[in-house]
């Protein structure tokens, strides 16, 4: 193979990776709209969505590896259990507050990753990091400005906690030494389905709810993670940071277009502050790492 051919294949793989990660982000962004279309208890939605996604991932795993994932070790089980917490909090948040609040507050997860790394991994926090945390916290505070009901307030808290849970899941995914990080997602969905069992008895199946849960499980969760896992290995670290920002930007757009739900003015400003601070910190960190 010539050098030119190898470079062409590398460019082709990178382009494919960018497209795959972008597709995953677009599919993830439909969560708020689809969740609001299913009038069930949040735990029932989370469990059945994960059950459907589990079937999709199982078919993919059998096709790709000719066997099912092995039982999780302690690290993967911990990540899978936090995945359950993540989906329960996120779906609960979407039921209690606006889709914009739910996804934009969850997007603070990189900040929690940084804080956890400093506490548990003893990684040094720079002055820039401290400024970023302060700015993100101020941006998050704007979501609580104005006339907010108890349900909306609780939904915002759930959104923030889902960002914390996502940070733990991300750290767990990065810590996988043997096997595929997708194993954590597989077992996380299995655990979420089991957790939801006590709530399935009260579910009333309608055409809308069935189509909504099938979309959530097959497209928004199952297929999206397959695209992401296949694409993320081919993109640069900076692209892996920038492309997923499509999700928090599109999520409230879909809900506004199809449901008419409008985030408050202060939530929009807070969301821009959170996204801007997280993106600037991530880009700065990547550039500093590249120079080192």
């Amino acid at each position: 193979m010539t050098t030119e051919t190898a470079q062409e294949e590398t460019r082709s793989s990178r382009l494919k990776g960018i497209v795959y990660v972008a597709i995953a982000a677009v599919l993830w962004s439909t969560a708020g709209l689809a969740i609001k279309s299913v009038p069930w208890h949040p735990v029932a939605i989370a469990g059945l969505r994960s059950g459907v996604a589990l079937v999709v991932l199982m078919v993919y795993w059998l096709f790709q590896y000719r066997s099912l994932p092995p039982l999780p070790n302690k690290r993967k089980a911990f990540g899978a259990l936090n995945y359950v917490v993540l989906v329960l909090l996120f779906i609960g948040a979407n039921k209690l507050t606006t889709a914009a609040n739910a996804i934009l507050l969850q997007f603070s997860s990189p900040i929690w990753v940084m804080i956890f790394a400093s506490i548990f991994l003893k990684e040094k926090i720079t002055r820039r990091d401290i400024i970023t945390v302060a700015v993100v916290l101020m941006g998050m505070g704007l979501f609580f400005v104005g006339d907010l009901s108890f349900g909306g307030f609780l939904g915002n808290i759930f959104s923030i906690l889902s960002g914390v849970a996502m940070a733990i899941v991300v750290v767990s995914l990065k810590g996988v030494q043997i096997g595929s990080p997708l194993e954590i997602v597989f077992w996380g969905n299995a655990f979420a389905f089991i957790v939801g069992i006590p709530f399935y008895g009260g579910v009333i199946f309608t055409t809308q709810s069935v189509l909504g849960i099938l979309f959530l499980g097959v497209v928004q969760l199952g297929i999206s993670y397959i695209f992401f896992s296949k694409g993320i290995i081919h993109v640069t670290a900076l692209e892996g940071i920038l492309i997923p920002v499509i999700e928090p930007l599109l999520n409230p757009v879909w809900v506004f277009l199809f449901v008419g739900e409008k985030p408050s003015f202060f939530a929009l400003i807070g969301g821009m502050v959170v996204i801007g601070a997280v993106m600037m910190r991530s880009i700065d960190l990547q550039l500093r790492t590249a120079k080192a």
Side-chain angles (χ1 to χ4, degrees), residues 53 56-57 216-227:
V56 175
L57 293 174
L216 281 167
V218 175
V219 179
Q220 191 271 327
L221 198 58
I223 293 177
S224 65
Y225 267 108
I226 292 172
F227 270 113

Side-chain angles (χ1 to χ4, degrees), residues 222-235:
I223 293 177
S224 65
Y225 267 108
I226 292 172
F227 270 113
F228 184 75
S229 65
K230 292 177 73 68
I232 194 66
I233 59 176
H234 297 295
V235 300

Side-chain angles (χ1 to χ4, degrees), residues 135-196:
V135 172
V136 169
L137 290 176
M138 286 189 293
M140 291 167 62
L142 291 174
F143 285 85
F144 295 89
V145 174
D147 183 19
L148 194 67
S149 65
F150 175 74
F153 178 85
L154 187 61
N156 285 354
I157 296 298
F158 279 8
S159 304
I160 294 171
L161 293 177
S162 74
V164 176
M166 176 174 278
I168 297 174
V169 172
V170 169
V171 172
S172 300
L173 288 170
K174 289 183 177 181
V176 172
Q177 302 293 329
I178 301 174
S180 169
L182 199 59
E183 290 178 31
I184 289 178
V185 178
F186 181 93
W187 290 111
N189 282 303
F191 295 162
F193 175 75
I194 294 171
V195 168

Side-chain angles (χ1 to χ4, degrees), residues 5-282:
T5 303
Q7 291 176 342
E8 182 64 30
E9 287 189 359
T10 300
R11 284 194 294 268
S12 177
S13 296
R14 183 183 172 200
L15 177 60
K16 184 186 295 184
I18 291 173
V19 171
Y20 281 4
V21 174
I23 290 173
V26 171
L27 295 181
W28 285 335
S29 74
T30 60
L33 176 62
I35 289 170
K36 290 181 182 296
S37 72
V38 182
W40 298 346
H41 191 283
V43 180
I45 295 175
L48 287 175
R49 179 182 77 151
S50 288
V52 175
L54 183 65
V55 174
V56 175
L57 293 174
M58 193 178 298
V59 171
Y60 169 76
W61 210 279
L62 289 171
F63 179 79
Q64 188 79 7
Y65 302 105
R66 301 296 189 271
S67 65
L68 292 177
L71 292 174
N73 56 26
K74 290 182 179 180
R75 181 188 291 272
K76 293 177 183 176
F78 178 74
L81 289 173
N82 273 282
Y83 176 89
V84 177
V85 175
L86 164 63
V87 297
L88 289 175
L89 287 170
F90 182 67
I91 291 178
N94 271 277
K95 287 294 185 180
L96 292 170
T97 187
T98 65
N101 287 24
I103 189 62
L104 291 171
L105 284 171
Q106 188 194 66
F107 194 71
S108 64
S109 57
I111 301 305
W112 306 117
V113 171
M114 179 178 65
I115 293 174
F116 292 154
S118 68
I119 296 174
F120 299 109
L121 302 179
K122 306 304 179 183
E123 293 185 3
K124 182 180 179 181
I125 289 187
T126 66
R127 181 181 300 177
R128 295 178 182 177
D129 294 333
I130 295 174
I131 293 173
T132 301
V133 171
V135 172
V136 169
L137 290 176
M138 286 189 293
M140 291 167 62
L142 291 174
F143 285 85
F144 295 89
V145 174
D147 183 19
L148 194 67
S149 65
F150 175 74
F153 178 85
L154 187 61
N156 285 354
I157 296 298
F158 279 8
S159 304
I160 294 171
L161 293 177
S162 74
V164 176
M166 176 174 278
I168 297 174
V169 172
V170 169
V171 172
S172 300
L173 288 170
K174 289 183 177 181
V176 172
Q177 302 293 329
I178 301 174
S180 169
L182 199 59
E183 290 178 31
I184 289 178
V185 178
F186 181 93
W187 290 111
N189 282 303
F191 295 162
F193 175 75
I194 294 171
V195 168
I197 289 176
F199 295 84
Y200 300 152
V203 166
I204 298 176
F205 291 99
T206 63
T207 300
Q208 176 179 310
S209 62
V210 170
L211 290 177
I213 209 69
L214 286 175
F215 179 84
L216 281 167
V218 175
V219 179
Q220 191 271 327
L221 198 58
I223 293 177
S224 65
Y225 267 108
I226 292 172
F227 270 113
F228 184 75
S229 65
K230 292 177 73 68
I232 194 66
I233 59 176
H234 297 295
V235 300
T236 65
L238 186 56
E239 289 164 345
I241 292 169
L242 293 174
I243 299 171
V245 79
I246 294 172
E247 180 190 3
L249 293 177
L250 284 182
N251 188 306
V253 172
W254 302 135
V255 179
F256 171 72
L257 290 177
F258 293 98
V259 180
E261 179 184 86
K262 298 179 182 179
S264 70
F265 171 76
F266 287 107
L268 288 176
I269 299 299
M272 287 189 288
V273 170
V274 170
I275 289 178
V278 170
M279 296 304 297
M280 289 300 295
R281 189 264 176 183
S282 300

